[in-house]
């Protein structure tokens, strides 16, 4: 088994755990390891992974492949600690582990057996669909999901008994029935991963390849769909209950599973690999601020401050990259909103699950097949202002709705919250300005920045770090304007101190020694606040100095 880490130019790490087999590396969408870099060829290199060794070969690429700064040709044997350079990206060989086996495998025989089982499942699957199609004229449409699964189970047993008196020894009859029924009326090969808590993301790249993220590590699964028809059926079963569609006229769709897990699907002709499905699982366990502290996503002082911000109706924006945990943090912070308040949530695909008794959830709608019926996030925000909300929570601002969100924050809807994509708080302000311009109004930049400075109180920056951990790296106050620039005051920050022996990022949460401006307003109103949670500036300076000394000492070693 080969474990490698792919590092981009920002040192973000993606880990691959590769079982014995052949893998292609390149920027082509059919590659097993896709490297999005202009200097990488479509099929740049090949990896051959065996039980106790691995070799890499350059595939006559334009810019070559390098291992430990030496250009390679064919069959270069890799060792733990090797660094592979392809284009501007670095691939680090973390380890090569031997997989002990009690019997010597026979690859061709195993492949033939797997193929036989897959073909059998496909034949049974088609017969089951034909059987169910005959019943559509009766009571099939009126069945619940559980009743339909019972009917499919019964039909599968009848089909196997009538047409397949013997089945391959590699699979039991009960397991075969379970898998066929899952593909016919359920979610097929995805069901075991949806039940497994440690799996956080599922990526289906066509019927023949399923990749999962387990504990922050990408793994290629041995599970497959029997056909493209089967995979399309799973996608249709996900989107149909939501009133959405996916076909050649509308080949992309965002949806959700009943448990709130986020789903994105894209099909040919846009997806060249075949129907492609991405599922970001929703945690079955409801999380609270104590869980974020336990996961070291923030510390107790930061948690205390954010609770105070929500309770005292500060307008909060959570900024971060894809998969950094923005929606999870938004859900957790919403727990501090009072039960007496009327809350309106607005999302593309409803994910937020608020516990308060007075919550109204709104969801945008795509256009129908005639191109009509489109309802955007912006239209929902405008309508929400007429629904007497105490707070407005937008799942994500990504367009012209940002202008209406800012106006809501400035006109009596304090305590509103949203998320947005950006790498830093300063980047988010620049992106927010662009989103306001997308509203189509010809507003000068200074007027937009004044709206932002007046509306947004706190920016929370959340990042997914190279070791897979999700942390709140900065909390900043928007403290006003100076000239044409928006002022940001750092309040808390995660200071990094290198890596530990397990390659996990070490660091500490520090306050910058400054309390936000609104603390004075709250104290004048009679609130008793603890300013000690922000630490003091001399302590921070001393910590930065000691961190620099430790890093310098580590580099010398």
């Amino acid at each position: 088994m080969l474990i490698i880490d792919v590092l981009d130019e920002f040192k973000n790490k993606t880990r691959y755990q590769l079982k014995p087999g052949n893998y292609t590396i390149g920027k082509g969408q059919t590659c097993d390891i896709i490297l999005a870099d202009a200097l990488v060829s479509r099929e740049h290199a090949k990896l051959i992974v065996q039980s106790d060794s691995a070799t890499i070969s350059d595939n006559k690429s334009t810019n070559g492949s390098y291992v430990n700064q030496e250009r390679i040709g064919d069959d270069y044997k890799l060792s733990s600690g090797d660094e592979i350079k392809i284009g501007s990206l670095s691939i680090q060989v973390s380890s090569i582990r031997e997989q002990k086996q009690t019997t010597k495998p026979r690859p061709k025989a195993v492949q033939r057996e797997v193929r036989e089982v897959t073909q059998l499942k496909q034949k049974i699957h088609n017969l089951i669909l034909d059987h169910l199609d005959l019943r559509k004229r009766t009571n099939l449409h009126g069945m619940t999901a559980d009743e339909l699964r019972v009917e499919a189970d019964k039909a599968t047993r009848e089909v196997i008994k009538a047409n397949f008196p013997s089945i391959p020894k590699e699979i039991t009859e009960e397991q075969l029935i379970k898998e066929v029924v899952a593909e016919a009326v359920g979610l097929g090969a995805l069901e075991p991963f949806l039940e497994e808590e440690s799996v956080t993301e599922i990526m289906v790249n066509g019927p023949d390849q399923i990749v999962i993220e387990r504990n922050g590590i990408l793994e290629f699964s041995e599970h497959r769909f029997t056909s493209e028809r089967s995979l399309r059926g799973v996608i249709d079963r996900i989107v149909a209950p939501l009133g959405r569609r996916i076909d050649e006229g509308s080949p992309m769709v965002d949806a959700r599973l009943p448990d709130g897990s986020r789903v994105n699907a894209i099909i040919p002709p846009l997806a060249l690999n075949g129907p492609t499905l991405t599922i970001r699982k929703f945690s079955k366990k409801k999380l609270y601020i104590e869980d974020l502290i336990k996961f070291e996503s923030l510390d107790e002082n930061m948690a205390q401050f954010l609770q105070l911000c929500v309770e005292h109706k500060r307008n909060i924006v959570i900024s971060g990259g894809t998969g950094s945990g923005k929606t999870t943090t938004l859900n957790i912070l919403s727990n501090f909103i009072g039960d007496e308040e009327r809350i309106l949530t607005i999302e593309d695909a409803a994910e937020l699950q608020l516990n308060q008794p007075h919550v109204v959830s709104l969801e945008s709608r795509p256009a129908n097949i005639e191109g009509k019926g489109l309802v955007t996030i912006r239209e929902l925000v405008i309508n929400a202002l007429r629904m007497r909300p105490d707070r407005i929570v937008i799942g994500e601002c990504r367009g012209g709705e940002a202008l209406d969100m800012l106006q809501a924050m400035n006109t009596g809807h304090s305590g509103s919250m949203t998320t947005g994509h950006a790498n830093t708080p300063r980047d988010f302000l620049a992106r927010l300005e662009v989103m306001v311009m997308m509203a189509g109004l010809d507003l000068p930049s200074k007027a937009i920045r004044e709206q932002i400075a007046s509306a947004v109180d706190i920016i929370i920056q959340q990042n997914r770090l190279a070791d897979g951990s999700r942390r709140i790296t900065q909390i900043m106050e928007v403290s006003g304007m100076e000239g044409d620039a928006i002022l940001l005051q750092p309040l808390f920050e995660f200071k990094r101190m290198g890596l530990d022996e397990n390659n996990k990022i070490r660091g500490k949460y520090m306050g910058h020694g400054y309390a936000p401006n609104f603390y004075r307003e709250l104290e004048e109103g009679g609130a008793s606040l603890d300013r000690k949670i922000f630490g003091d500036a001399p302590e921070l300076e001393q910590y930065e100095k000691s961190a620099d000394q430790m890093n310098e000492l580590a580099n010398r070693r």
Side-chain angles (χ1 to χ4, degrees):
M1 178 181 292
L2 175 68
I3 300 177
I4 59 174
D5 296 318
V6 180
L7 278 69
D8 63 16
E9 57 182 321
F10 303 107
K11 302 302 180 185
N12 293 315
K13 183 190 298 183
T14 302
R15 172 160 286 191
Y16 291 86
Q17 189 168 320
L18 306 176
K19 297 178 180 179
N22 299 337
Y23 302 89
T24 55
I25 304 175
K27 66 180 179 183
Q29 293 300 309
T30 58
C31 291
D32 298 307
I33 301 173
I34 299 175
L35 304 180
D37 186 88
L39 300 178
V40 176
S41 299
R42 187 171 295 277
E43 287 193 7
H44 198 104
K46 294 182 179 179
L47 271 174
I48 299 178
V49 181
Q50 298 177 346
S51 61
D52 59 351
S53 64
T55 59
I56 184 170
S57 302
D58 185 76
N59 196 24
K60 298 180 181 179
S61 64
T62 304
N63 297 306
S65 303
Y66 296 80
V67 177
N68 301 330
Q69 301 181 348
E70 175 187 348
R71 187 161 185 164
I72 63 168
D74 295 333
D75 299 332
Y76 184 98
K77 188 172 182 179
L78 295 171
S79 302
S80 297
D82 282 347
E83 181 183 22
I84 306 168
K85 290 287 290 186
I86 295 181
S88 62
L89 303 180
S90 172
I91 302 176
Q92 296 178 350
V93 180
S94 177
S95 68
I96 302 175
R97 299 175 182 172
E98 181 178 359
Q99 286 190 318
K100 296 182 179 180
Q101 298 174 331
T102 55
T103 59
K104 189 175 181 180
R106 296 177 296 168
K108 291 185 179 179
V110 171
Q111 290 176 8
R112 184 171 59 252
E113 292 164 359
V114 171
R115 187 164 57 249
E116 289 176 357
V117 171
T118 301
Q119 290 172 350
L120 175 61
K121 287 197 292 185
Q122 186 172 352
K123 290 177 182 178
I124 299 174
H125 179 259
N126 292 334
L127 290 172
I128 296 306
L129 293 183
D130 292 340
H131 175 88
L132 294 178
D133 283 341
L134 294 175
R135 295 208 49 189
K136 283 185 178 178
R137 296 180 182 179
T138 56
N139 63 341
L140 195 60
H141 285 299
M143 290 184 178
T144 65
D146 290 338
E147 291 171 341
L148 186 58
R149 190 173 283 263
V150 170
E151 174 66 24
D153 183 277
K154 179 182 177 182
T156 303
R157 295 179 186 276
E158 293 175 356
V159 166
I160 292 176
K161 183 178 180 180
N163 299 278
F164 305 97
S166 62
I167 61 175
K169 61 182 180 180
E170 293 74 32
I171 189 169
T172 65
E173 182 174 341
E174 289 301 318
Q175 183 65 24
L176 178 63
I177 293 171
K178 180 180 178 181
E179 293 180 8
V180 170
V181 170
E183 285 206 16
V185 298
L187 299 183
L190 306 181
E191 291 192 353
F193 302 127
L194 291 170
E195 295 171 359
E196 186 177 341
E197 282 291 328
S198 61
V199 175
T200 53
E201 197 134 10
I202 306 169
M203 294 147 277
V204 183
N205 307 322
D208 297 323
Q209 187 182 80
I210 300 177
V211 182
I212 62 171
E213 182 185 67
R214 180 185 280 119
N215 299 323
I217 300 174
L218 293 180
E219 299 178 15
F220 289 90
S221 168
E222 296 178 353
H223 291 259
R224 300 287 185 273
F225 284 89
T226 58
S227 65
E228 188 170 311
R229 178 188 179 187
S230 171
L231 176 53
R232 280 293 302 271
V234 168
I235 295 174
D236 289 337
R237 283 192 288 277
I238 292 173
V239 303
L242 304 176
R244 304 197 174 192
R245 65 185 181 88
I246 184 167
D247 51 40
E248 289 189 4
S250 179
M252 296 184 293
V253 68
D254 286 314
R256 67 181 185 279
L257 296 178
D259 66 356
S261 297
R262 184 188 309 175
V263 178
N264 174 268
I266 181 168
I267 63 173
L270 300 188
L272 303 183
N273 292 7
T276 301
L277 186 66
T278 308
I279 300 176
R280 181 169 298 163
K281 287 177 59 180
F282 192 90
S283 176
K284 296 179 181 178
K285 175 188 174 185
K286 185 163 183 61
L287 300 177
Y288 297 91
I289 197 71
E290 293 79 13
D291 295 297
L292 289 187
I293 297 173
K294 178 183 176 182
F295 299 149
E296 298 184 345
S297 294
L298 77 174
D299 68 2
E300 293 182 0
N301 290 336
M302 297 163 69
Q304 180 182 335
F305 172 70
L306 292 178
Q307 178 176 352
L308 182 142
C309 289
V310 176
E311 290 176 345
H312 289 273
K313 294 192 172 184
R314 299 297 106 181
N315 295 321
I316 298 173
V317 169
I318 303 172
S319 165
T322 300
S324 60
K326 301 184 299 296
T327 303
T328 298
T329 300
L330 184 62
N331 243 329
I332 290 173
L333 293 184
S334 71
N335 292 325
F336 299 128
I337 299 176
D339 289 346
E340 72 284 357
E341 298 186 63
R342 176 175 168 87
I343 309 165
L344 265 69
T345 67
I346 303 172
E347 302 171 85
D348 269 329
E351 296 177 83
L352 297 174
Q353 296 185 348
L354 277 63
N355 294 326
Q356 288 77 4
H358 200 169
V359 177
V360 178
S361 298
L362 306 179
E363 186 177 64
S364 65
R365 186 178 68 184
N368 60 21
I369 195 168
E370 291 86 16
K372 300 178 180 179
L374 173 68
V375 179
T376 65
I377 290 285
R378 186 178 185 194
E379 291 174 304
L380 291 177
V381 174
I382 294 172
N383 187 77
L385 299 177
R386 307 186 184 108
M387 297 174 67
R388 199 242 171 248
D390 290 310
R391 301 198 195 217
I392 298 175
V393 180
I394 300 180
E396 181 184 345
C397 273
R398 58 166 66 94
E401 66 271 7
L403 174 61
D404 303 288
M405 181 69 181
L406 293 176
Q407 290 179 328
M409 290 176 170
N410 275 322
T411 55
H413 301 93
S414 299
S416 296
M417 296 185 286
T418 187
T419 71
H421 281 79
N423 293 325
T424 66
R426 181 64 64 184
D427 288 346
F428 178 79
L429 292 178
R431 188 163 182 263
L432 187 56
E433 187 175 339
V434 172
M435 287 190 285
V436 171
M437 293 178 180
M438 292 169 67
L441 300 179
D442 188 15
L443 297 173
S445 293
K446 186 173 182 179
I448 295 174
R449 290 171 188 168
E450 287 174 347
Q451 282 279 318
I452 295 172
S454 175
V456 179
D457 295 312
I458 298 295
I459 299 178
I460 301 170
Q461 181 64 39
Q462 184 144 348
N463 291 101
R464 180 174 180 175
L465 304 184
D467 62 355
S469 62
R470 296 171 172 87
R471 295 180 184 265
I472 293 177
T473 54
Q474 289 176 300
I475 298 178
M476 289 194 169
E477 178 194 26
V478 180
S479 55
M481 294 275 295
E482 186 173 288
D484 290 339
I486 299 175
L487 296 179
L488 288 177
Q489 175 60 58
L491 301 176
F492 294 95
E493 185 173 359
F494 176 69
K495 289 292 182 181
R496 307 188 193 192
M497 292 186 63
L499 302 175
D500 62 16
E501 63 277 4
N502 297 318
N503 284 330
K504 295 293 184 180
I505 293 176
R506 293 186 296 109
K508 185 177 180 181
Y509 292 102
M510 303 289 292
H512 275 258
Y514 305 101
N517 294 329
F518 66 82
Y519 258 48
R520 180 179 299 175
E521 173 189 338
L522 296 179
E523 287 172 336
E524 290 174 352
S528 177
L529 305 176
D530 182 9
R531 290 176 176 260
K532 294 180 180 179
I533 63 174
F534 299 101
D536 56 83
E539 179 188 357
L540 180 66
E541 293 172 2
Q542 181 62 35
Y543 181 82
E544 290 177 335
K545 187 182 296 184
S546 64
D548 291 339
Q549 291 172 350
M550 290 184 68
N551 287 329
E552 183 179 352
L553 182 61
N555 292 332
R556 287 178 183 175
R557 290 177 179 173

